[in-house]
């Protein structure tokens, strides 16, 4: 069973995907880490993120075994990822890895922005996880505090709104809900309640 989970930044889709995968005993891929890692490699080489050719080269040379780097979780890397992810050549290069991951025996859980629409259009279940921008900003702020990166609410909210606009407005694989996706609004749900609801939806498909 392939489960595709999409949604905007800090919607809770990552936590949800991880918990679902663990519960179902299936591998999980946080596809945002791929874009973050491309950005990391470019920043390490002091390359401009706006250079499409260099970004494409970084994507082609990406070491997908190094996605557990804690630096990938920073606010700076999220912002940088949303810049390099606008390039068609970058997306195209990362597509093969994501599709192979999804096709492994027994299925997998993938989360990102375009899993249900582009990476796995035939997924058995598509969830579109969202929450209000304010609630997502509160969650992101909490997350950043845990990683020792304190931030103020208004800055985080502005980041979220800018990222939403960039992810939804780009011509290549913009963030949008697939027509056959199930909407899961987690504004009023904590992580446990969101997980319970997702599991209920999964069970209707088994
Ligand atoms: O999900 P995360 O915040 O880690 O993603 C970072 C950025 O990577 C997103 O803002 C988005 O621009 C990009 N991304 C994407 N497609 C995906 C996953 C992430 O374009 N499937």
């Amino acid at each position: 069973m392939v489960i595709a989970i999409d949604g905007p930044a800090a919607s809770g889709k990552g936590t949800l995907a991880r918990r679902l995968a663990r519960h179902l005993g299936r591998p999980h891929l946080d596809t945002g880490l791929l874009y973050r890692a491309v950005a990391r490699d470019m920043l390490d080489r002091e390359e401009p993120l706006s250079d499409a050719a260099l970004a494409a080269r970084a994507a082609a040379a990406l070491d997908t075994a190094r996605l557990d780097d804690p630096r990938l979780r920073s606010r700076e890397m999220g912002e940088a990822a949303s810049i390099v992810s606008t390039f068609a050549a970058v997306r195209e290069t990362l597509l093969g890895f994501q599709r192979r991951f999804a096709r492994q025996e027994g299925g997998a859980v993938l989360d990102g922005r375009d899993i249900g629409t582009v990476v796995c259009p035939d997924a058995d279940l598509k969830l579109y996880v969202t929450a209000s921008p304010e609630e997502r900003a509160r969650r992101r702020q909490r997350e950043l505090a845990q990683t020792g990166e304190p931030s103020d609410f208004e800055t985080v909210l502005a980041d979220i709104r800018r990222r939403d606009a960039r992810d939804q407005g780009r011509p290549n694989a913009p963030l949008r809900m697939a027509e056959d996706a199930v909407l899961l609004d987690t504004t009023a749900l904590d992580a446990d309640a969101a997980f319970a609801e997702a599991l209920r939806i999964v069970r209707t498909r088994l």
Side-chain angles (χ1 to χ4, degrees), residues 95-123:
L95 202 52
F97 174 74
Q98 296 175 83
R99 288 205 170 133
R100 279 192 300 282
F101 191 94
R103 270 202 295 266
Q104 55 191 301
E105 189 74 36
V109 180
L110 287 83
D111 76 270
R113 300 289 188 289
D114 63 339
I115 310 303
T117 51
V118 176
V119 179
C120 304
D122 300 325

Side-chain angles (χ1 to χ4, degrees), residues 11-124:
S11 57
K13 65 183 187 316
T15 307
L16 189 64
R18 207 165 29 250
R19 286 182 69 172
L20 267 184
R22 200 184 311 134
H23 185 84
L24 299 170
R26 300 313 314 154
H28 165 231
L29 179 63
D30 170 353
T31 63
L33 289 178
L34 299 171
Y35 296 93
R36 287 169 182 257
V38 169
R40 173 203 57 201
D41 292 349
M42 293 184 75
L43 291 171
D44 281 353
R45 287 192 291 268
E46 297 185 8
E47 293 172 348
L49 298 169
S50 56
D51 187 317
L54 288 177
R57 202 182 304 165
L62 184 69
D63 179 359
T64 52
R66 283 184 57 226
L67 298 178
D68 54 359
D69 177 356
R71 283 192 302 153
L72 297 182
R73 309 271 171 193
S74 73
R75 198 160 64 98
E76 179 200 14
M77 226 50 92
E79 181 69 20
S82 86
I83 297 172
V84 300
S85 72
T86 59
F87 300 125
V90 169
R91 308 200 66 86
E92 189 61 36
T93 301
L94 299 178
L95 202 52
F97 174 74
Q98 296 175 83
R99 288 205 170 133
R100 279 192 300 282
F101 191 94
R103 270 202 295 266
Q104 55 191 301
E105 189 74 36
V109 180
L110 287 83
D111 76 270
R113 300 289 188 289
D114 63 339
I115 310 303
T117 51
V118 176
V119 179
C120 304
D122 300 325
D124 300 286

